[in-house]
Amino acid sequence: MPAKKKTVFLCTECGYDSPKWMGKCPSCGAWNTMVEEVVRAAPARASAAPASSGKESRPVPLSGITQDEEERVLTGIGELDRVLGGGIVRGSMVLISGEPGIGKSTLLLQACRSLCQRGPVLYVTGEESLAQIKMRASRLGIDRDDLYILAETDLDNILLQADKLKPDYVVIDSIQTMFSGDMTSAPGSVGQVRECTMRLMQFAKTSGVPVLLVGHINKDGNIAGPKVLEHMVDTVLAFEGERHNSYRMLRASKNRFGSTNEIGLFEMTGDGLIDVPNPSAALLSGRPENASGSCVVATIEGSRPLLSEIQGLVTKSAYGSARRTSAGLDYNRAVLLLAILEKRAGLMLGAFDAYINVVGGLTLDEPAVDLCVMLAIVSSYLDRPIRHDLAVFGEVGLSGELRAVSGASQRVSELARLGFHACILPATNMNGLKAPEGLRLMPVKDIREAIKTCFETEK
């Protein structure tokens, strides 16, 4: 007699299940997150919970637990190893997400080239055929006998082949295409993603084999599937960048074995992704001279100082209300900075359209970019260029005051290394700060003083 089926509604955020649909999840309070799932009422699945070993588990005092240093394996890609915290940890699960076509599969296939030198790699593809993987590998110059490709979406068969092959590393591309025969729902559904991830996690922890997962994202930019997917894995990496821009940025939003403050920068070329060891010089290449509306900011992404160019454009509005557009910067933050310029600096921008762009397709969310955004807008409004060898950084408050930011010494050191000769920064950052040779530091207290210093300073 076939097992009975029932329909439940699962919350994609917290996994709460309900027999009927609700607009608001009573567990986490999220709206419109309940999705319908068809599950079996009986029999209970053996994979739903690991079988008991028969041994009694007892609490152990913290002082009696031995701590072994994690064994890490380098992927051969310097920027990826930096974000991972020094390489892949044995038995860990790493989730890489990003827009379609951003380069997730390319990055992992390039990592497999180096990992194959340390042991066999099983690359499971659920979206592409074997011929397509071969074409990409040929383009990347990868031809290894110890890289095994499996075109399969049935998780039971994948784990069976992994048990026979006994690889040292497993890549799943992607988790949303996998399905378990123990569930009747379609691949990519909340239940399937949760079940497949749980079984892969048990495989990784019991065998010590690192598992790298590719994850899709939805239209909101979040990882598709239940939120529990991010809780299960050890590391969550986000691959960012514009598809039509050559630069890609890799960030870690979760890392149980390292810092989440590191970033990696890549450039997409015809031969695949290559590391960008000097991102500041790469992002500033092609910067125009004597052009108004351009300013350089010294930011810090993780522990790495990074120089970025921010452009502003102010034009007379042709409509009743002025437009505000920002790319690479939070829209609400941009509107707030424009309001500060009107109130504290006396610039009447209400009748002008304002456009802000971070060059290189980067997304900057650090408060230290405030001063740079405002000076780029002022430069375009006055149609006066900012000197080419000057950079700025600083957070701007609602009263127009400049507040101190962290990592000032790292920022000015990067500016000196790149050949800048002047830097405008908050006066409160000058305590104990030593100017590098060849770099002139110009401390200011508020936005009015910053504008005056920027456009009245001679080389």
Side-chain angles (χ1 to χ4, degrees):
M1 183 176 178
K4 294 182 179 180
K5 300 178 182 179
K6 66 175 182 178
T7 300
V8 297
F9 293 87
L10 298 176
C11 175
T12 58
E13 292 292 326
C14 65
Y16 176 83
D17 62 274
S18 170
K20 62 179 182 179
W21 183 86
M22 291 179 287
K24 181 180 179 181
C25 175
S27 177
C28 64
W31 287 90
N32 299 323
T33 58
M34 306 293 288
V35 296
E36 185 178 6
E37 288 289 335
V38 178
V39 298
R40 292 175 180 171
R45 298 189 309 273
S47 61
S52 175
S53 61
K55 298 181 179 179
E56 181 182 0
S57 298
R58 295 183 179 180
V60 179
L62 181 62
S63 59
I65 301 176
T66 59
Q67 181 180 3
D68 298 327
E69 186 176 353
E70 300 95 352
E71 181 183 356
R72 295 182 180 269
V73 179
L74 297 179
T75 64
I77 303 177
E79 296 297 295
L80 177 59
D81 291 331
R82 169 195 287 269
V83 179
L84 289 173
I88 301 176
V89 177
R90 293 288 184 184
S92 64
M93 286 190 68
V94 180
L95 175 65
I96 300 180
S97 65
E99 293 278 353
I102 201 71
K104 303 182 295 295
S105 301
T106 300
L107 177 65
L108 289 179
L109 200 57
Q110 290 183 225
C112 288
R113 172 169 46 192
S114 177
L115 294 176
C116 284
Q117 301 175 6
R118 297 169 175 83
V121 178
L122 177 60
Y123 189 103
V124 181
T125 173
E127 302 175 347
E128 298 176 289
S129 65
L130 297 178
Q132 289 175 310
I133 297 295
K134 178 63 176 178
M135 290 174 58
R136 179 183 291 117
S138 300
R139 177 171 59 85
L140 299 175
I142 302 175
D143 187 13
R144 305 276 311 187
D145 292 335
D146 40 12
L147 174 57
Y148 297 88
I149 311 298
L150 175 63
E152 182 60 83
T153 57
D154 188 348
L155 187 62
D156 295 317
N157 188 35
I158 293 172
L159 294 178
L160 177 63
Q161 297 301 324
D163 185 61
K164 292 180 180 179
L165 181 62
K166 299 191 183 308
D168 286 350
Y169 311 93
V170 174
V171 178
I172 305 293
D173 187 6
S174 65
I175 187 60
Q176 279 80 13
T177 61
M178 302 294 117
F179 75 92
S180 173
D182 294 327
M183 302 193 67
T184 58
S185 52
S189 61
V190 174
Q192 285 285 8
V193 172
R194 182 173 54 185
E195 172 72 10
C196 293
T197 306
M198 177 63 73
R199 295 182 62 183
L200 287 170
M201 183 185 68
Q202 293 175 3
F203 167 76
K205 300 306 179 185
T206 56
S207 64
V209 175
V211 178
L212 290 82
L213 307 177
V214 173
H216 295 168
I217 64 172
N218 53 31
K219 61 181 180 181
D220 297 325
N222 301 317
I223 300 177
K227 195 69 175 179
V228 71
L229 171 62
E230 299 176 51
H231 292 288
M232 287 173 155
V233 300
D234 297 307
T235 304
V236 180
L237 305 181
F239 216 23
E240 303 173 354
E242 299 292 335
R243 291 183 57 188
H244 305 293
N245 192 292
S246 61
Y247 292 111
R248 306 283 192 269
M249 184 175 290
L250 188 67
R251 299 176 185 265
S253 59
K254 172 187 177 181
N255 192 350
R256 288 174 177 160
F257 305 108
S259 172
T260 58
N261 294 326
E262 295 292 348
I263 66 162
L265 194 65
F266 302 87
E267 183 179 4
M268 178 65 79
T269 67
D271 297 326
L273 291 163
I274 60 174
D275 295 339
V276 180
N278 191 358
S280 297
L283 293 174
L284 294 182
S285 62
R287 180 179 171 227
E289 293 190 28
N290 299 322
S292 63
S294 173
C295 188
V296 174
V297 59
T299 67
I300 288 186
E301 292 288 344
S303 61
R304 168 185 287 184
L306 188 68
L307 304 188
S308 299
E309 179 188 358
I310 296 181
Q311 294 179 332
L313 178 63
V314 177
T315 60
K316 189 73 174 178
S317 178
Y319 305 97
S321 58
R323 294 188 59 190
R324 273 85 173 96
T325 303
S326 65
L329 186 75
D330 181 67
Y331 173 79
N332 294 324
R333 187 68 181 176
V335 172
L336 180 125
L337 296 177
L338 291 171
I340 295 175
L341 279 176
E342 284 208 39
K343 181 70 175 179
R344 306 302 179 188
L347 271 68
M348 296 297 103
L349 299 173
F352 291 85
D353 295 337
Y355 305 90
I356 301 171
N357 176 52
V358 179
V359 178
L362 301 181
T363 300
L364 301 179
D365 55 2
E366 189 191 12
V369 305
D370 290 352
L371 181 58
C372 182
V373 173
M374 299 175 80
L375 291 180
I377 290 294
V378 174
S379 174
S380 178
Y381 179 80
L382 301 176
D383 198 20
R384 294 179 59 182
I386 298 175
R387 51 184 285 191
H388 199 262
D389 62 345
L390 181 142
V392 304
F393 63 85
E395 180 183 0
V396 181
L398 293 182
S399 299
E401 80 281 7
L402 261 68
R403 296 181 174 271
V405 297
S406 61
S409 59
Q410 294 175 270
R411 301 174 198 265
V412 297
S413 297
E414 182 72 1
L415 290 173
R417 189 180 70 85
L418 268 293
F420 283 79
H421 297 106
C423 175
I424 299 177
L425 72 163
T428 49
N429 268 126
M430 290 299 295
N431 295 332
L433 183 64
K434 183 179 180 181
E437 184 178 355
L439 181 66
R440 177 188 174 192
L441 300 182
M442 296 180 287
V444 294
K445 296 181 179 180
D446 53 42
I447 185 60
R448 283 181 175 271
E449 185 179 354
I451 295 174
K452 181 180 179 180
T453 303
C454 180
F455 295 100
E456 292 184 2
T457 302
E458 299 294 335
K459 294 184 180 180

